[in-house]
mmCIF file of all heavy atoms in Angstrom:
data_model
loop_
_atom_site.group_PDB
_atom_site.id
_atom_site.type_symbol
_atom_site.label_atom_id
_atom_site.label_comp_id
_atom_site.label_asym_id
_atom_site.label_seq_id
_atom_site.Cartn_x
_atom_site.Cartn_y
_atom_site.Cartn_z
ATOM 1 N N THR A 1 32.509 -39.148 23.441
ATOM 2 C CA THR A 1 31.855 -39.643 24.642
ATOM 3 C C THR A 1 30.667 -38.769 24.947
ATOM 4 O O THR A 1 30.479 -37.700 24.354
ATOM 5 C CB THR A 1 32.827 -39.629 25.844
ATOM 6 O OG1 THR A 1 33.200 -38.276 26.088
ATOM 7 C CG2 THR A 1 34.029 -40.491 25.588
ATOM 8 N N THR A 2 29.855 -39.193 25.890
ATOM 9 C CA THR A 2 28.681 -38.395 26.239
ATOM 10 C C THR A 2 29.080 -37.078 26.874
ATOM 11 O O THR A 2 28.317 -36.135 26.865
ATOM 12 C CB THR A 2 27.772 -39.180 27.210
ATOM 13 O OG1 THR A 2 28.553 -39.578 28.329
ATOM 14 C CG2 THR A 2 27.158 -40.387 26.522
ATOM 15 N N GLU A 3 30.289 -37.023 27.424
ATOM 16 C CA GLU A 3 30.754 -35.783 28.028
ATOM 17 C C GLU A 3 31.112 -34.756 26.967
ATOM 18 O O GLU A 3 30.979 -33.567 27.179
ATOM 19 C CB GLU A 3 31.972 -36.066 28.906
ATOM 20 C CG GLU A 3 31.652 -37.004 30.055
ATOM 21 C CD GLU A 3 32.906 -37.602 30.645
ATOM 22 O OE1 GLU A 3 34.013 -37.262 30.184
ATOM 23 O OE2 GLU A 3 32.786 -38.421 31.563
ATOM 24 N N GLU A 4 31.582 -35.206 25.826
ATOM 25 C CA GLU A 4 31.993 -34.311 24.749
ATOM 26 C C GLU A 4 30.878 -34.239 23.726
ATOM 27 O O GLU A 4 30.772 -35.069 22.842
ATOM 28 C CB GLU A 4 33.257 -34.833 24.057
ATOM 29 C CG GLU A 4 34.435 -35.006 24.955
ATOM 30 C CD GLU A 4 35.565 -35.694 24.223
ATOM 31 O OE1 GLU A 4 35.527 -35.745 22.983
ATOM 32 O OE2 GLU A 4 36.473 -36.174 24.879
ATOM 33 N N LYS A 5 30.042 -33.252 23.837
ATOM 34 C CA LYS A 5 28.944 -33.103 22.882
ATOM 35 C C LYS A 5 29.419 -32.247 21.723
ATOM 36 O O LYS A 5 30.102 -31.253 21.924
ATOM 37 C CB LYS A 5 27.737 -32.453 23.551
ATOM 38 C CG LYS A 5 27.139 -33.349 24.616
ATOM 39 C CD LYS A 5 25.908 -32.743 25.192
ATOM 40 C CE LYS A 5 25.326 -33.661 26.250
ATOM 41 N NZ LYS A 5 24.145 -33.082 26.862
ATOM 42 N N PRO A 6 29.038 -32.617 20.502
ATOM 43 C CA PRO A 6 29.452 -31.797 19.367
ATOM 44 C C PRO A 6 28.760 -30.440 19.434
ATOM 45 O O PRO A 6 27.638 -30.328 19.921
ATOM 46 C CB PRO A 6 28.987 -32.606 18.156
ATOM 47 C CG PRO A 6 27.890 -33.473 18.673
ATOM 48 C CD PRO A 6 28.215 -33.749 20.114
ATOM 49 N N GLU A 7 29.461 -29.438 18.960
ATOM 50 C CA GLU A 7 28.891 -28.099 18.954
ATOM 51 C C GLU A 7 27.765 -28.051 17.936
ATOM 52 O O GLU A 7 27.912 -28.497 16.802
ATOM 53 C CB GLU A 7 29.957 -27.064 18.584
ATOM 54 C CG GLU A 7 31.031 -26.945 19.629
ATOM 55 C CD GLU A 7 32.049 -25.893 19.246
ATOM 56 O OE1 GLU A 7 31.722 -25.029 18.420
ATOM 57 O OE2 GLU A 7 33.157 -25.940 19.767
ATOM 58 N N GLU A 8 26.644 -27.530 18.369
ATOM 59 C CA GLU A 8 25.522 -27.426 17.461
ATOM 60 C C GLU A 8 25.716 -26.202 16.586
ATOM 61 O O GLU A 8 26.067 -25.129 17.059
ATOM 62 C CB GLU A 8 24.217 -27.316 18.242
ATOM 63 C CG GLU A 8 23.883 -28.585 19.003
ATOM 64 C CD GLU A 8 22.545 -28.478 19.706
ATOM 65 O OE1 GLU A 8 21.755 -27.580 19.362
ATOM 66 O OE2 GLU A 8 22.293 -29.294 20.588
ATOM 67 N N LYS A 9 25.484 -26.389 15.316
ATOM 68 C CA LYS A 9 25.620 -25.282 14.381
ATOM 69 C C LYS A 9 24.356 -24.444 14.443
ATOM 70 O O LYS A 9 23.249 -24.980 14.529
ATOM 71 C CB LYS A 9 25.827 -25.796 12.954
ATOM 72 C CG LYS A 9 27.132 -26.525 12.784
ATOM 73 C CD LYS A 9 27.302 -26.970 11.372
ATOM 74 C CE LYS A 9 28.609 -27.720 11.189
ATOM 75 N NZ LYS A 9 28.778 -28.195 9.833
ATOM 76 N N PRO A 10 24.496 -23.113 14.400
ATOM 77 C CA PRO A 10 23.302 -22.282 14.404
ATOM 78 C C PRO A 10 22.543 -22.480 13.101
ATOM 79 O O PRO A 10 23.098 -22.864 12.078
ATOM 80 C CB PRO A 10 23.849 -20.852 14.519
ATOM 81 C CG PRO A 10 25.246 -20.946 14.028
ATOM 82 C CD PRO A 10 25.709 -22.341 14.334
ATOM 83 N N ALA A 11 21.268 -22.236 13.156
ATOM 84 C CA ALA A 11 20.446 -22.374 11.962
ATOM 85 C C ALA A 11 20.964 -21.423 10.888
ATOM 86 O O ALA A 11 21.303 -20.273 11.160
ATOM 87 C CB ALA A 11 18.992 -22.040 12.294
ATOM 88 N N GLU A 12 21.050 -21.936 9.681
ATOM 89 C CA GLU A 12 21.566 -21.113 8.591
ATOM 90 C C GLU A 12 20.576 -20.002 8.279
ATOM 91 O O GLU A 12 19.364 -20.200 8.334
ATOM 92 C CB GLU A 12 21.791 -21.976 7.349
ATOM 93 C CG GLU A 12 22.906 -22.967 7.516
ATOM 94 C CD GLU A 12 23.164 -23.733 6.229
ATOM 95 O OE1 GLU A 12 22.802 -23.235 5.157
ATOM 96 O OE2 GLU A 12 23.729 -24.819 6.335
ATOM 97 N N GLU A 13 21.126 -18.854 7.955
ATOM 98 C CA GLU A 13 20.273 -17.731 7.616
ATOM 99 C C GLU A 13 19.675 -17.970 6.244
ATOM 100 O O GLU A 13 20.342 -18.448 5.333
ATOM 101 C CB GLU A 13 21.082 -16.436 7.606
ATOM 102 C CG GLU A 13 21.620 -16.071 8.959
ATOM 103 C CD GLU A 13 22.406 -14.783 8.917
ATOM 104 O OE1 GLU A 13 22.252 -14.006 7.959
ATOM 105 O OE2 GLU A 13 23.172 -14.546 9.855
ATOM 106 N N THR A 14 18.433 -17.641 6.102
ATOM 107 C CA THR A 14 17.799 -17.799 4.803
ATOM 108 C C THR A 14 17.872 -16.481 4.067
ATOM 109 O O THR A 14 17.687 -15.416 4.648
ATOM 110 C CB THR A 14 16.328 -18.224 4.963
ATOM 111 O OG1 THR A 14 15.656 -17.253 5.773
ATOM 112 C CG2 THR A 14 16.221 -19.587 5.628
ATOM 113 N N VAL A 15 18.178 -16.574 2.798
ATOM 114 C CA VAL A 15 18.302 -15.390 1.965
ATOM 115 C C VAL A 15 17.094 -15.371 1.027
ATOM 116 O O VAL A 15 16.761 -16.392 0.429
ATOM 117 C CB VAL A 15 19.618 -15.436 1.148
ATOM 118 C CG1 VAL A 15 19.753 -14.211 0.282
ATOM 119 C CG2 VAL A 15 20.799 -15.569 2.088
ATOM 120 N N PRO A 16 16.438 -14.224 0.909
ATOM 121 C CA PRO A 16 15.281 -14.156 0.028
ATOM 122 C C PRO A 16 15.648 -14.519 -1.411
ATOM 123 O O PRO A 16 16.756 -14.262 -1.877
ATOM 124 C CB PRO A 16 14.834 -12.689 0.123
ATOM 125 C CG PRO A 16 15.452 -12.177 1.376
ATOM 126 C CD PRO A 16 16.690 -12.974 1.606
ATOM 127 N N ALA A 17 14.684 -15.105 -2.103
ATOM 128 C CA ALA A 17 14.917 -15.582 -3.468
ATOM 129 C C ALA A 17 15.262 -14.432 -4.415
ATOM 130 O O ALA A 17 16.107 -14.594 -5.309
ATOM 131 C CB ALA A 17 13.691 -16.327 -3.976
ATOM 132 N N ASP A 18 14.637 -13.264 -4.244
ATOM 133 C CA ASP A 18 14.915 -12.155 -5.160
ATOM 134 C C ASP A 18 16.355 -11.666 -5.018
ATOM 135 O O ASP A 18 16.989 -11.286 -6.006
ATOM 136 C CB ASP A 18 13.930 -11.004 -4.963
ATOM 137 C CG ASP A 18 13.928 -10.452 -3.546
ATOM 138 O OD1 ASP A 18 14.288 -11.209 -2.626
ATOM 139 O OD2 ASP A 18 13.566 -9.272 -3.373
ATOM 140 N N VAL A 19 16.906 -11.713 -3.817
ATOM 141 C CA VAL A 19 18.307 -11.319 -3.615
ATOM 142 C C VAL A 19 19.225 -12.311 -4.314
ATOM 143 O O VAL A 19 20.207 -11.925 -4.973
ATOM 144 C CB VAL A 19 18.628 -11.227 -2.107
ATOM 145 C CG1 VAL A 19 20.100 -11.004 -1.877
ATOM 146 C CG2 VAL A 19 17.812 -10.135 -1.452
ATOM 147 N N LEU A 20 18.907 -13.596 -4.174
ATOM 148 C CA LEU A 20 19.716 -14.620 -4.835
ATOM 149 C C LEU A 20 19.648 -14.491 -6.350
ATOM 150 O O LEU A 20 20.648 -14.674 -7.043
ATOM 151 C CB LEU A 20 19.261 -16.011 -4.403
ATOM 152 C CG LEU A 20 19.519 -16.369 -2.948
ATOM 153 C CD1 LEU A 20 18.907 -17.717 -2.616
ATOM 154 C CD2 LEU A 20 20.994 -16.377 -2.651
ATOM 155 N N ARG A 21 18.470 -14.163 -6.875
ATOM 156 C CA ARG A 21 18.332 -13.978 -8.331
ATOM 157 C C ARG A 21 19.193 -12.818 -8.814
ATOM 158 O O ARG A 21 19.841 -12.904 -9.857
ATOM 159 C CB ARG A 21 16.871 -13.728 -8.700
ATOM 160 C CG ARG A 21 16.041 -14.976 -8.748
ATOM 161 C CD ARG A 21 14.657 -14.717 -9.332
ATOM 162 N NE ARG A 21 13.788 -15.783 -8.954
ATOM 163 C CZ ARG A 21 12.866 -15.723 -7.981
ATOM 164 N NH1 ARG A 21 12.694 -14.607 -7.309
ATOM 165 N NH2 ARG A 21 12.133 -16.764 -7.684
ATOM 166 N N LYS A 22 19.185 -11.715 -8.061
ATOM 167 C CA LYS A 22 19.998 -10.555 -8.443
ATOM 168 C C LYS A 22 21.475 -10.903 -8.437
ATOM 169 O O LYS A 22 22.225 -10.520 -9.340
ATOM 170 C CB LYS A 22 19.727 -9.381 -7.498
ATOM 171 C CG LYS A 22 18.384 -8.738 -7.699
ATOM 172 C CD LYS A 22 18.168 -7.608 -6.705
ATOM 173 C CE LYS A 22 16.784 -7.019 -6.835
ATOM 174 N NZ LYS A 22 16.538 -5.978 -5.837
ATOM 175 N N GLU A 23 21.910 -11.625 -7.395
ATOM 176 C CA GLU A 23 23.311 -12.032 -7.299
ATOM 177 C C GLU A 23 23.689 -12.942 -8.465
ATOM 178 O O GLU A 23 24.756 -12.795 -9.059
ATOM 179 C CB GLU A 23 23.581 -12.747 -5.973
ATOM 180 C CG GLU A 23 23.534 -11.847 -4.764
ATOM 181 C CD GLU A 23 24.698 -10.881 -4.742
ATOM 182 O OE1 GLU A 23 25.816 -11.253 -5.121
ATOM 183 O OE2 GLU A 23 24.481 -9.727 -4.325
ATOM 184 N N LEU A 24 22.808 -13.882 -8.796
ATOM 185 C CA LEU A 24 23.076 -14.799 -9.892
ATOM 186 C C LEU A 24 23.132 -14.052 -11.218
ATOM 187 O O LEU A 24 24.010 -14.305 -12.050
ATOM 188 C CB LEU A 24 22.009 -15.899 -9.944
ATOM 189 C CG LEU A 24 22.168 -16.940 -11.038
ATOM 190 C CD1 LEU A 24 23.475 -17.692 -10.860
ATOM 191 C CD2 LEU A 24 20.996 -17.896 -11.034
ATOM 192 N N THR A 25 22.237 -13.111 -11.414
ATOM 193 C CA THR A 25 22.223 -12.326 -12.645
ATOM 194 C C THR A 25 23.505 -11.512 -12.783
ATOM 195 O O THR A 25 24.107 -11.463 -13.857
ATOM 196 C CB THR A 25 20.997 -11.385 -12.664
ATOM 197 O OG1 THR A 25 19.821 -12.176 -12.509
ATOM 198 C CG2 THR A 25 20.911 -10.600 -13.956
ATOM 199 N N SER A 26 23.926 -10.890 -11.691
ATOM 200 C CA SER A 26 25.150 -10.088 -11.773
ATOM 201 C C SER A 26 26.374 -10.978 -11.992
ATOM 202 O O SER A 26 27.279 -10.611 -12.741
ATOM 203 C CB SER A 26 25.327 -9.236 -10.520
ATOM 204 O OG SER A 26 25.575 -10.057 -9.400
ATOM 205 N N ALA A 27 26.398 -12.159 -11.380
ATOM 206 C CA ALA A 27 27.524 -13.075 -11.585
ATOM 207 C C ALA A 27 27.555 -13.580 -13.024
ATOM 208 O O ALA A 27 28.631 -13.687 -13.631
ATOM 209 C CB ALA A 27 27.429 -14.258 -10.618
ATOM 210 N N ASN A 28 26.388 -13.878 -13.579
ATOM 211 C CA ASN A 28 26.331 -14.321 -14.976
ATOM 212 C C ASN A 28 26.777 -13.213 -15.929
ATOM 213 O O ASN A 28 27.477 -13.470 -16.907
ATOM 214 C CB ASN A 28 24.921 -14.782 -15.337
ATOM 215 C CG ASN A 28 24.584 -16.126 -14.739
ATOM 216 O OD1 ASN A 28 25.462 -16.886 -14.361
ATOM 217 N ND2 ASN A 28 23.295 -16.422 -14.634
ATOM 218 N N ALA A 29 26.377 -11.973 -15.649
ATOM 219 C CA ALA A 29 26.780 -10.856 -16.495
ATOM 220 C C ALA A 29 28.291 -10.647 -16.422
ATOM 221 O O ALA A 29 28.950 -10.396 -17.442
ATOM 222 C CB ALA A 29 26.043 -9.582 -16.068
#
């Protein structure tokens, strides 16, 4: 109903691409 509004999700944090590359490299290794 209009009284029950869904909770808005906070904006997702963005992770820099170089951090993601390092994580992916370590996971692949």
Side-chain angles (χ1 to χ4, degrees):
T1 63
T2 55
E3 298 163 2
E4 301 172 16
K5 294 184 180 178
E7 293 181 21
E8 293 183 16
K9 294 182 181 178
E12 292 184 22
E13 295 180 19
T14 57
V15 180
D18 58 335
V19 172
L20 293 175
R21 281 189 199 102
K22 288 178 184 177
E23 290 291 322
L24 180 62
T25 303
S26 67
N28 286 340

